[in-house]
Amino acid sequence: MNPPVHRSPQARSGPWRRPLLLLAVLLLAAARQPATPPGFHPELPAPTGPMPVGTSALHLVDAARQDPWRPGLSRELMVQLWYPAARPGPPAPYVGPAVAKVLARGWGFPEGAVTGLRGHATADAPLDRTRGRLPVVLFSPGDGGNRRDNTALTEDLASRGYLVAAVDHLGDGSAGELPDGRVVGRSKPSGDTEAEILR
């Protein structure tokens, strides 16, 4: 009967050394690669409906209500509308230049990739009034979201005859831009209770 063989920890881990070393080298190489390739230009998918799309932003202020996450300020919201337009026109930017800078840093994109990003809706295009009353879809993004989330979907719905209203809950979501150029970032503390959120 052969005596039991006791291997040292070094011997037991030996077969794994080479694959682990290779994995470490690959991870280091990936980390050295740029976040996005040069000339990277993201695009939004085109709407599939038959109608041209317009978009317009509304700045709403409730002076009687204090902002729950920005003490001393009145509650402000930005609401973006997408709707069937009377005629097509030049596409509006995805976001303004100030927010584009913030998003580019957060996403790891070159700044030009975000400032140059266009949707397929024309800013402040006239509404197609021949369609009569439109069905309305309210898009209220969740915690940390903003009115730009799902732009491809909101544009597509508008191209099919819907009026879509998307809400920026300023202070609750990611960066939002007001008409005067102010950029409002997330100021809502983590761990809010439902009562604090709804007050």
Side-chain angles (χ1 to χ4, degrees), residues 160-179:
R160 294 171 174 274
Y162 289 85
L163 168 63
V164 182
V167 182
D168 248 352
H169 303 283
L170 297 175
D172 171 51
S174 61
E177 189 171 7
L178 294 167

Side-chain angles (χ1 to χ4, degrees), residues 89-170:
Y94 178 66
V95 291
V99 171
K101 291 180 182 179
V102 175
L103 294 180
R105 284 196 303 267
W107 293 343
F109 286 176
E111 188 177 314
V114 183
T115 55
L117 181 59
R118 296 286 186 271
H120 297 88
T122 302
D124 301 317
L127 174 69
D128 182 358
R129 298 187 179 277
T130 64
R131 309 207 59 82
R133 298 179 67 178
L134 302 175
V136 176
V137 175
L138 176 63
F139 173 62
S140 183
D143 186 22
N146 59 67
R147 72 185 194 260
R148 297 176 302 275
D149 292 348
N150 294 323
T151 293
L153 176 59
T154 55
E155 289 184 340
D156 195 72
L157 286 168
S159 76
R160 294 171 174 274
Y162 289 85
L163 168 63
V164 182
V167 182
D168 248 352
H169 303 283
L170 297 175

Side-chain angles (χ1 to χ4, degrees), residues 39-56:
F40 176 70
H41 297 290
E43 295 181 2
L44 296 177
T48 60
M51 290 163 265
V53 178
T55 186
S56 187

Side-chain angles (χ1 to χ4, degrees), residues 1-24:
M1 183 173 187
N2 293 332
V5 177
H6 296 285
R7 295 182 179 172
S8 68
Q10 290 83 5
R12 285 198 298 269
S13 62
W16 296 102
R17 282 184 189 167
R18 188 169 291 167
L20 287 175
L21 181 60
L22 179 60
L23 178 61

